[in-house]
Amino acid sequence: MTRPEQSRQTALTAFDGLNGLATRLNALDQSFAEIGQSSEAPLAKQARDQRARIRAFEASVTMIGQVKAGKTTLVNAMIGWPDLLPADVNPWTSVVTSLHLSPHLQAHDRRAAFRFFTDDEWNHLIRQGGRVGEMAARAGAADEMEKVRAQLDEMREKSRARLGRKFHMLLGQTHEYERFDEELIKRYVCLGDDFWEEAGGTREQGRFADITRSADLWLPTPDLPLGLCIRDTPGVNDTFMIREQITINALRGSRLCVVVLSAAQALSSVDLGLIRLISNVRAREVIIFVNRIDELPDPARAVPEIRKSILATLERFDGPKDAEILFGSGYWASHAASGSFDALGEDSAQALIGWAEAQLNGDLAQLSPQEIIWHLSGVPALGQAIAARVEESTGAKLEESLQVALGNLQTGAQAHDSLRGPDAAEVQSINMSAQEILQSFEQIEDRASAALESRLAKAHEVFAGRSDNAQRAFLGRATKSLVKHLEQFGEGEVWTYDPSGLRMLLRSAYKVFVQGAGKAGTDVFQTAASDIDALYRHAFGLSPEVRSIAPPPLPTAPAPVNLGQTIALDLRGGWWSRFWRRQRGYEAFSQDFARLIHEETKPVVDTLHHQSAAPYSRAMRTALAEFIQGQRDIVLGLAGQATAPPPVSKLQPQDNLRHAL
């Protein structure tokens, strides 16, 4: 089944804002294409590699939000395929669906891949109850743990009944298809639990959804200016917090987050889990889309109040400041994309008319009804906001990197030209032998790597100290507050404590680490580039007018999104009360509380080190190694074309190379 042509073109106008970036990338691509014609193999190869980077570029946006906020309907409308992803599915579904939209794919390239939980992941869920199970076990909440186990047992038995002997064999596998349609997708993302009976479907619907962790769909989109990946995540409400962790992992791979709220609920204090997640992402990387305004009796009157409420809630709970807030309806957008206006429903149509009277102006007078509804749905505004963020974040980063690579290749090309005398067939000699060049690069790399390792080790040491101090300070303050509560109210009144202070301290410690590690990378990259530039000029006798070798840009530091994960103190409910009431005596309170909070916060700190700080350092090491290797290949390739240096030429010690020149 293919989506209607009209639907596809209507939806893709949402991303017209990517045209400027696409034009600039095309110009860079042409520049690399010219260098790719060079007779110097390393230059041509690296130019082709940069062109491949441009074609492979895929900006990523992750959609997160409340259960039943209409994320999936909104995503379907954005891509112009209203029925692609099942929107009205069982809320147990825990699948992240990534839609890879690419203008470079051909029509026959539409394919899909569905990845299942591994055996370890499944066992962690079933045997321990995921994050809730861990917390309940630490808190000694036996009743809560028993509830979790009962739900898990039911889930496990239904999965086994549906999949039979294949159940354990499927874990960790990936199912790949060269084609897909709506029915195939439902097999993997509509959770079973007798859903097929309730929906009047088939036994194949939801067959694998219990164990499916992620779905990837590749869609050829020739009218889209650039590649774009839209990730539809499950709602954040989850008994086992599976979806919370899955959403955190999805956010790690994306520089842009769209938070989808329901206009009927908007953002209230009950959505603290959502606020915790987005508060660890920069404000310019968060867009809030208030969906389902079609369900409001009078959107024009309600929207200002909803906006005011959201801003107040974000400020109260340390959410991102100055986040862009948009309003609209994926439901209206779906009908606009498909042209099915008769099925809007009377209430929705009345809300649309009221919203139109408040929003329309003379600029829209020449538009068709379909285009007007499309505009009023808010999806074009969302697309423009996404395009603007892409251009200033991942797009700008790619452009910067490509400009540096292009300049360095042009310097190599000029060095290549300098080897040719007046007669094109004549090859000039250079001032260094290939062996001397190789030795110089080894010295440059050794010195740069040692300097980077030393400074990164210091940054990690400082970060470890600050994060440990933050954890101890938080525990000390919390325990002090607990003792004060016990002295004032005794043991009869349940005490709670807000862990947001710990998150702020850890976020600050990570920010200091990123600044320190980034400064180290900047200095080391610049020194290595200067050393390589000096080698170029000495070896090939380049004139001062030739562009200097530039250092690669720093990699982007991962956002510390794991700081938003739920810990015991975030939960307010029966099991916390049971933990409280089973204590006896002030000393027992203090000891058990200190143990619980230490064990709860340690994984948060460890994850911050292992999944945010450590990957940033690894990315810096990789960037340095690839930069030096690329330059080494070019210079050695050029040296291989030149004649041996004159006997009088003497290589200066590398440590003094720049001074000698």
Side-chain angles (χ1 to χ4, degrees), residues 76 138 186 239 254 406 423 460 499 545:
N76 286 341
R138 279 197 282 268
K186 288 177 182 178
T239 305
S254 179
L406 178 62
D423 181 357
H460 279 280
E545 290 77 23

Side-chain angles (χ1 to χ4, degrees), residues 41 69 80 120 145 162 184 236 300 306 309 314 319 342 357 370 392 450-451 520 534 540 578 586 627 658:
D120 287 344
M145 194 61 219
R162 209 165 23 250
L184 177 68
V236 293
I306 295 174
S309 174
L314 290 175
D342 295 340
E357 291 174 349
Q370 181 183 21
E392 69 186 33
F540 302 108
R578 286 192 291 274
Y586 286 15
F627 168 64
R658 280 172 291 153

Side-chain angles (χ1 to χ4, degrees), residues 46 408 437-438 440-450 452 524-525 527-532 535-536 549-552 620-636:
Q46 291 189 35
N408 288 343
I437 290 173
L438 184 60
S440 296
F441 266 103
E442 288 176 351
Q443 293 169 2
I444 291 172
E445 184 168 29
D446 289 345
R447 185 168 57 249
S449 296
L452 184 62
V524 171
F525 288 7
T527 299
S530 298
D531 285 346
I532 294 171
L535 190 152
Y536 255 111
I549 294 296
M620 236 177 295
R621 295 185 190 102
T622 300
L624 176 64
E626 290 179 347
F627 168 64
I628 294 176
Q629 183 61 51
Q631 292 303 309
R632 175 164 39 212
D633 290 345
I634 292 173
V635 177
L636 287 175

Side-chain angles (χ1 to χ4, degrees), residues 245-258:
Q245 190 58 51
I246 289 174
T247 300
I248 286 173
N249 292 338
L251 285 172
R252 276 200 192 95
S254 179
R255 287 290 303 278
L256 178 57
C257 165
V258 175

